[in-house]
Amino acid sequence: MDIAMKSHVGRIRQVNEDYFACVEDLNGRVLAVVADGMGGHQAGDIASRLAVERIVKELRHLDKDIDGEDAREQLMNAVLLANKEVYEYAEEHPECNGMGTTVVAALLGPSSVITAHIGDSRLYHFSQDGLVMKTEDHSLVNELLKNGQITPEEASVHPHRNVIMRSLGTEPDVLIDLGQFSWSDGDVVLICSDGLSNKVSSSSLEEWLNRMVSLQAKVDGLVDEALTAGGEDNITLVAVRNTPDTSQKEG
């Protein structure tokens, strides 16, 4: 698989509360995780780091012959253990009270992708049929949008668009969304924090992914576009392309 990643603090913030990881050696699978912490300096950045590191730790020794159902269960358990770790850390450190994080995690195999997510960070699947968002934002604005109380145009500029309805680490028990879909050679899975998705439209995402440049150039260009659009938030992006073998990576 071809992998490209980038994280930028943005133009306004002093601390990058996003955290990400991509592990390539999981017996034929790749694990990609993006987390966007909340709770302010010395809280949000801790929450996102703890969550990502725990998920990676739990899945690093994934069995080569594990089937899809067991892989889903292990991914879910890893995210639930991350929730427990973040919540207990906040309980033990009063200065971090209320901290939490979004999480999008994907286990990518040769033909299928298993996902787990909570919050408003996103996962997109790009194929010859176009770009499809595979996660649903757990946000106030998305609830208003689904209920027909606001339009998509109003959602993009809503003053409370950063209000999260579900996050990891803020409660002892948490509901995680699980998903699974097929992907083929040439397809791209793109995971990002809302610092990207709030500034770059789906049509621009698709246009960049269609460009005949390297995967890293696409990621760099998307981050630059988010910065040009204001860059008020941290921006993090992980992209993984399905390739027949690693020798076919672009330069």
Side-chain angles (χ1 to χ4, degrees):
M1 296 182 198
D2 191 6
I3 298 167
M5 303 170 280
K6 190 165 189 175
S7 188
H8 196 291
V9 70
R11 296 193 181 279
I12 306 297
R13 302 203 173 181
Q14 302 300 310
V15 175
N16 193 342
E17 294 182 281
D18 291 354
Y19 201 82
F20 69 98
C22 198
V23 184
E24 301 183 56
D25 54 351
L26 297 180
N27 285 316
R29 286 186 170 94
V30 167
L31 170 65
V33 191
V34 168
D36 179 358
M38 60 198 77
H41 182 40
Q42 294 303 315
D45 51 335
I46 293 174
S48 60
R49 177 179 56 81
L50 287 175
V52 171
E53 289 181 349
R54 185 57 184 263
I55 292 167
V56 170
K57 177 183 177 182
E58 293 299 321
L59 296 171
R60 184 171 288 282
H61 302 293
L62 200 66
D63 187 69
K64 181 177 182 179
D65 299 320
I66 192 171
D67 63 25
E69 191 58 40
D70 285 342
R72 280 166 60 94
E73 184 175 343
Q74 289 202 30
L75 179 60
M76 168 70 90
N77 287 340
V79 178
L80 291 175
L81 287 168
N83 181 76
K84 182 174 184 287
E85 181 159 337
V86 174
Y87 181 79
E88 290 181 350
Y89 186 96
E91 289 280 289
E92 296 164 4
H93 299 79
E95 70 276 12
C96 294
N97 182 48
M99 77 176 183
T101 185
T102 72
V103 167
V104 179
L107 273 173
L108 305 106
S111 60
S112 68
V113 180
I114 300 168
T115 66
H117 100 282
I118 183 168
D120 65 349
S121 296
R122 293 180 176 180
L123 184 147
Y124 296 90
H125 174 213
F126 175 73
S127 69
Q128 61 182 5
D129 297 322
L131 185 73
V132 178
M133 189 169 80
K134 289 293 190 177
T135 53
E136 180 180 337
D137 293 348
H138 302 140
S139 64
L140 174 61
V141 162
N142 193 48
E143 290 300 313
L144 296 173
L145 192 60
K146 288 194 299 181
N147 294 332
Q149 295 175 257
I150 60 173
T151 66
E153 292 74 24
E154 290 170 332
S156 66
V157 295
H158 198 282
H160 301 305
R161 62 185 180 277
N162 293 325
V163 176
I164 307 300
M165 305 300 288
R166 284 158 56 188
S167 60
L168 188 118
T170 53
E171 301 289 342
D173 299 304
V174 68
L175 179 63
I176 306 294
D177 287 1
L178 283 180
Q180 186 166 355
F181 60 91
S182 299
W183 71 330
S184 304
D185 289 351
D187 290 6
V188 175
V189 165
L190 184 151
I191 306 175
C192 65
S193 61
D194 67 341
L196 184 84
S197 56
N198 281 343
K199 291 298 179 181
V200 180
S201 67
S202 294
S203 59
S204 286
L205 284 174
E206 187 167 353
E207 190 271 328
W208 269 104
L209 291 172
N210 263 317
R211 291 193 183 189
M212 298 301 291
V213 296
S214 72
L215 192 61
Q216 188 63 55
K218 296 175 185 184
V219 166
D220 293 344
L222 284 167
V223 172
D224 287 345
E225 184 168 328
L227 290 169
T228 300
E232 293 90 351
D233 202 353
N234 309 142
I235 306 157
T236 299
L237 175 58
V238 176
V240 183
R241 178 168 48 209
N242 193 334
T243 54
D245 62 65
T246 54
S247 67
Q248 296 193 19
K249 286 185 181 181
E250 291 182 5

